[in-house]
Amino acid sequence: MNNKVVYLHGFGSSSGSDKARLTAEYFAKHYPHIEFTALDYPYDPAAALALIQQNIGNRRDVALIGSSLGGFLATCIAEQIQCRACLINPAVMPHQVLSQHLGRYYHPVLQQHFDVTAEHMQVLQQIMPLQLHQPENYLVLLQSGDEVLNYRLALDYYKGAQIKLTEGGDHSYVGYAAELDAIAHFCQLA
């Protein structure tokens, strides 16, 4: 049983995103006894992983929910500590996609500018798990209409995981709120 759930947003998003807000409201209403956190983290991949690990600490009673790049980071952490992770249109090989988006950005919640660099792409490539040790630890929600990421990469990479592919939709995952019961169930909450 898990007593903590951590939500990890995607690139250019924040803890104030629609999915993060919907998830926080759902857990507050249905699982008020569960410690729920929607993290805002730096876009430097190494610093992001360090902050997530610091937030989790030595706990093993944790489940992760990650969207897009947050899904990638959730996978990195889940492979380290062997916890459950629910992924929404997760980024696979994000260094390839994000290499087209190098430059300066602004984080709306942290209220600071950040740079996405070629060095970050190297780190993303280095930290990507080459294979999943326990694919059964993952629930992967995909929509074929994702205009940002190729869902077929996730189908291949997360082979052996519980995968739900919905035709159509988009990168934001249309109808996300309807998946929250299944996500909470998969998280094995106490």
Side-chain angles (χ1 to χ4, degrees), residues 5 11-12 15 20 28 30 38 41 55 77 86 89 97 126 144-145 164 178 184:
V5 175
F11 177 79
S15 64
H30 298 285
Y41 48 85
N55 182 272
I77 297 292
C86 300
N89 286 331
V97 175
Q126 292 167 354
S144 68
K164 178 181 178 183

Side-chain angles (χ1 to χ4, degrees), residues 28-143:
K29 179 178 180 181
H30 298 285
Y31 295 94
H33 60 287
I34 297 296
E35 182 183 344
F36 177 85
T37 304
L39 278 183
D40 281 300
Y41 48 85
Y43 283 95
D44 173 301
L49 280 178
L51 181 69
I52 297 163
Q53 290 166 330
Q54 179 184 3
N55 182 272
I56 293 171
N58 293 323
R59 297 179 73 149
R60 293 296 178 257
D61 64 336
V62 65
L64 305 171
I65 302 171
S67 176
S68 191
L69 184 61
F72 171 79
L73 295 171
T75 301
C76 293
I77 297 292
E79 284 299 300
Q80 289 175 9
I81 67 173
Q82 294 302 306
C83 70
R84 289 192 163 231
C86 300
L87 314 175
I88 303 102
N89 286 331
V92 176
M93 296 185 286
H95 58 282
Q96 293 179 352
V97 175
L98 288 176
S99 65
Q100 303 165 30
H101 300 281
L102 302 181
R104 178 154 271 224
Y105 294 89
Y106 184 76
H107 193 291
V109 174
L110 298 179
Q111 295 186 352
Q112 62 189 29
H113 287 92
F114 63 94
D115 295 307
V116 177
T117 67
E119 291 78 22
H120 293 150
M121 299 309 104
Q122 292 171 348
V123 172
L124 286 170
Q125 186 174 9
Q126 292 167 354
I127 64 174
M128 180 177 165
L130 296 178
Q131 68 180 39
L132 304 178
H133 296 294
Q134 291 184 298
E136 64 274 11
N137 281 346
Y138 298 92
L139 169 62
V140 184
L141 305 176
L142 301 171
Q143 291 192 327

Side-chain angles (χ1 to χ4, degrees), residues 166-183:
T166 304
E167 291 300 317
D170 61 28
H171 187 62
S172 72
Y173 201 94
V174 174
Y176 173 72
E179 302 292 350
L180 285 166
D181 285 339
I183 289 171

